[in-house]
Amino acid sequence: DGWSTSTYDISAALPPLHLSVFSGIGGGNETGGRVWPAALALGAYLLARHRGDALATEHRRPRVALELGAGPGLPGLLLANVAASEEGTSIFGGGIERVVLTDIVPTTLDNLWHNTTTLAPLTSRTLRCTVAALDWYQPPAQTAAAHADVDLILAADCVYDPDIVEPLLATLGALLQPAPPPPPSSDSGQSSAAETGPLPPPRVPPIALVAVERRGAAWERFEMGLSAEVASGRMLVAADRSD
């Protein structure tokens, strides 16, 4: 039926990932069923570039990571694998508690659920790895509200069709917004700061790690929409030519 199990052994320090992938033609699985080159690049980046607490700072301890357009889920599952390992404390400040793998195609979501079982014995002890449908065409406010606790966004090989670039950028923009402050107390308002305690610090906006291949019009449109987020330091984009 086109589905098979592939093994991805990215680091000798971690167990290999055994992922169900699609290598056939038809059924709408050609895109979401495959591990594309940028997913491998992002996975290697997570290992090679974020040792030594590079994702964790004085004000940022990533707790919840979300992968957009996850397909088979390699970057997100690798992140969960690393975070649940003994060395995860040094890489992520001991913080990753949940990884959410998102996509929209039903068969892709089913396959993601299947692939999460490969990590179940490890991650069940330390973090949760979940799967959720996320429609890039839904109102950005709905996306922001549903995933207000996300600290780290991953995306790999999501820029391939010019028609989906605008919805992708809208989704990234919604996820990168800081959460609104908590509502004021519903009491009479006479309580002093000493009685209520200090207000929690404002939530630091999440960061996004995006790996793409440059593919003609889709990349050009994506690049045009990136400038504000990249300039803000909230998004790191790595791109290479598809040839």
Side-chain angles (χ1 to χ4, degrees):
D1 61 356
W3 292 95
S4 61
T5 299
S6 293
T7 299
Y8 298 89
D9 196 358
I10 297 179
S11 170
L14 298 169
L17 293 178
H18 304 286
L19 303 183
S20 172
V21 298
F22 186 77
S23 57
I25 299 175
N29 300 310
E30 295 92 340
T31 300
R34 299 187 181 187
V35 173
W36 296 91
L40 295 169
L42 181 56
Y45 180 87
L46 288 169
L47 287 176
R49 301 291 294 177
H50 292 295
R51 298 183 187 277
D53 215 25
L55 276 182
T57 68
E58 180 183 356
H59 303 292
R60 183 193 303 281
R61 298 279 170 175
R63 299 289 178 184
V64 180
L66 181 144
E67 183 178 359
L68 290 171
L74 187 144
L77 289 170
L78 179 66
L79 174 67
N81 200 351
V82 174
S85 70
E86 291 183 1
E87 64 176 301
T89 298
S90 64
I91 298 176
F92 303 108
I96 297 290
E97 298 173 352
R98 183 160 57 95
V99 176
V100 185
L101 307 173
T102 71
D103 214 292
I104 193 59
V105 178
T107 54
T108 302
L109 293 169
D110 289 343
N111 190 52
L112 274 172
W113 275 117
H114 171 79
N115 285 340
T116 61
T117 63
T118 65
L119 292 185
L122 176 64
T123 60
S124 61
R125 298 195 301 268
T126 53
L127 60 82
R128 290 191 297 140
C129 192
T130 63
V131 174
L134 200 165
D135 186 352
W136 299 350
Y137 288 86
Q138 71 185 11
Q142 183 177 339
T143 298
H147 302 285
D149 58 348
V150 169
D151 302 296
L152 175 63
I153 303 157
L154 306 177
D157 272 315
C158 291
V159 181
Y160 56 89
D161 181 349
D163 292 338
I164 65 171
V165 168
E166 186 175 344
L168 171 59
L169 287 169
T171 300
L172 281 167
L175 292 170
L176 286 167
Q177 296 304 311
S185 174
S186 59
D187 60 18
S188 61
Q190 301 301 314
S191 299
S192 67
E195 294 172 334
T196 61
L199 292 175
R203 176 176 173 265
V204 177
I207 56 173
L209 303 178
V210 181
V212 301
E213 286 187 84
R214 300 178 190 174
R215 294 190 180 106
W219 163 252
E220 293 172 4
R221 188 173 298 183
F222 186 70
E223 187 179 30
M224 289 178 60
L226 282 179
S227 55
E229 298 299 350
V230 173
S232 72
R234 296 184 297 172
M235 187 186 302
L236 176 63
V237 179
D240 199 359
R241 294 188 183 277
S242 57
D243 56 2

